[in-house]
Amino acid sequence: MCTEVIDEREHSHVVHLEKRSLLCTCRPCALLFTERGAGRGRYRAVPSRYLHDPGFSMTGTEWDSLQIPVRMAFFFHNSDQERTLAFYPSPAGATESLLPMDAWRDGLGATPLAAQLEPDVEALLLRQVGGVSSCLLVPIDVCYELVGLVRLYWKGFDGGQEAWERIDAFFADLADRARALGT
């Protein structure tokens, strides 16, 4: 935005709402777009909060009702379309789930974490491992970082050991960053 040189690994992001894209920015530029309506409503700064709900639980039946074909997905509210969208990472990139979202509204969408979600810039990142589900509220750019991780390391049909080790480490780091809802 301002052409300031930014650190490749540590910098802020802004969502260009009309183009549905992420822009890398310096911290001062990102701060210009923290309020809704700034930049004529075309841009929103991606916040840096990570939350988890210690009371969150999801049964296998509830997971199955989402009809997500892999063990992880992210959900965010698209203000332009006025609806929640679901994506899951794949070796081809972020894949939108085109399945009905009734299960979202009746289940995950009714959780305390979902009530905290900032449209366009935050997502609920859901994962199931060994029949146990976890859910984190994260900045939207984190979800696309996960997509990049899957694209980079996924091998074969099941991903391979290295991909799953990196995915596990990624989720462990997110869990360490997340603070409990209400604190």
Side-chain angles (χ1 to χ4, degrees):
M1 295 194 142
C2 71
T3 69
E4 177 70 25
V5 176
I6 56 176
D7 183 277
E8 189 176 305
R9 301 214 12 99
E10 294 292 324
H11 57 270
S12 299
H13 289 111
V14 170
V15 173
H16 187 296
L17 297 172
E18 293 168 358
K19 293 182 179 179
R20 303 300 320 155
S21 62
L22 285 169
L23 303 170
C24 298
T25 66
C26 66
R27 183 78 178 138
C29 282
L31 290 173
L32 293 172
F33 302 104
T34 56
E35 297 296 321
R36 285 188 194 199
R40 295 187 201 130
R42 293 175 54 202
Y43 301 99
R44 293 270 325 267
V46 176
S48 58
R49 71 178 176 160
Y50 296 76
L51 297 175
H52 74 93
D53 180 359
F56 175 81
S57 67
M58 178 178 267
T59 66
T61 302
E62 290 169 322
W63 177 272
D64 292 343
S65 71
L66 292 171
Q67 299 183 35
I68 300 296
V70 295
R71 294 186 266 173
M72 54 195 146
F74 60 96
F75 301 80
F76 71 96
H77 185 80
N78 180 311
S79 60
D80 187 47
Q81 295 182 26
E82 296 182 358
R83 66 186 185 104
T84 298
L85 303 175
F87 289 84
Y88 51 91
S90 77
T95 303
E96 184 175 358
S97 171
L98 299 176
L99 300 169
M101 294 296 288
D102 296 337
W104 159 262
R105 282 187 299 279
D106 300 337
L108 190 59
T111 64
L113 276 179
Q116 296 293 313
L117 203 55
E118 285 292 322
D120 304 305
V121 294
E122 290 181 323
L124 292 186
L125 182 55
L126 188 62
R127 183 178 190 210
Q128 186 182 59
V129 177
V132 177
S133 298
S134 63
C135 184
L136 297 168
L137 184 149
V138 298
I140 192 75
D141 55 358
V142 168
C143 299
Y144 290 103
E145 184 180 341
L146 174 61
V147 170
L149 184 75
V150 169
R151 288 192 69 184
L152 189 60
Y153 294 102
W154 197 269
K155 304 286 186 246
F157 182 73
D158 69 349
Q161 183 177 346
E162 181 182 16
W164 284 109
E165 286 172 357
R166 291 184 181 267
I167 291 168
D168 289 342
F170 180 83
F171 276 94
D173 178 57
L174 294 181
D176 288 344
R177 291 181 186 196
R179 62 183 172 83
L181 184 66
T183 58

